[in-house]
Amino acid sequence: TLLECLATLLHESRRTGAALAVVSADVDDFKLVNDTRGHLAGDEVLRSLVATWRSAGHGPPPVIGRTGGDEVIVLLPGYDDARAADWVARTQAASTAPWSAGVAVAGTNDTVHDLLHRADVSLYAAKRARHRNGAAPDRRLSELHSPSA
């Protein structure tokens, strides 16, 4: 499972001193896609994002797991704060679907729960900031998978 993988990577990070970043990702307007275009279209949005995320790394491949409808966790072994922030920026720019992200980097005494919690808190802070700033995607996600798009 994703949690077991995170536990293993966290243990390895502590043992070797290698960095480990956890990205909590949430696809913007995902419910709208499922409600207007169907769940197969929503699954295609996720597949497209996963392909972008997998191709964007430099080093060990990311470990990606879906934790809810539009919520995904991406584990980035070997990534510190700066490298994880760069990965998020590059993958958001390369993605056809808009998504929000929160990042947490493993500290010496972190547990799996600590990392996931911090990544989620960071995600919701990013979503609030995006909402406050009025940032909206160029195209609504529901339009990305319509017959005319």
Side-chain angles (χ1 to χ4, degrees):
T1 70
L2 184 67
L3 293 179
E4 290 168 339
C5 186
L6 177 52
T8 299
L9 289 172
L10 184 57
H11 175 76
E12 189 66 13
S13 172
R14 283 190 191 123
R15 189 181 70 74
T16 65
L20 171 63
V22 174
V23 178
S24 181
D26 183 271
V27 182
D28 299 340
D29 295 325
F30 187 75
K31 182 175 178 351
L32 184 61
V33 171
N34 282 339
D35 290 349
T36 61
R37 303 289 176 212
H39 291 272
L40 293 177
D43 288 347
E44 183 55 38
V45 167
L46 291 175
R47 277 192 292 279
S48 173
L49 284 173
V50 167
T52 299
W53 294 337
R54 288 196 190 286
S55 67
H58 303 290
V63 177
I64 303 167
R66 188 173 180 181
T67 59
D70 63 342
E71 297 164 356
V72 178
I73 297 294
V74 181
L75 309 178
L76 297 171
Y79 282 66
D80 59 13
D81 283 313
R83 196 168 172 206
D86 178 64
W87 181 89
V88 167
R90 284 186 294 111
T91 55
Q92 284 178 325
S95 297
T96 58
W99 57 283
S100 300
V103 178
V105 174
T108 307
N109 297 318
D110 280 331
T111 65
V112 166
H113 176 77
D114 294 336
L115 275 172
L116 293 174
H117 177 72
R118 282 203 333 270
D120 277 346
V121 167
S122 177
L123 168 65
Y124 291 111
K127 287 177 73 101
R128 280 191 307 275
R130 183 179 181 124
H131 180 72
R132 263 194 320 271
N133 294 333
D138 292 334
R139 296 185 292 167
R140 293 198 56 87
L141 188 56
S142 62
E143 296 168 355
L144 293 173
H145 295 281
S146 68
S148 62

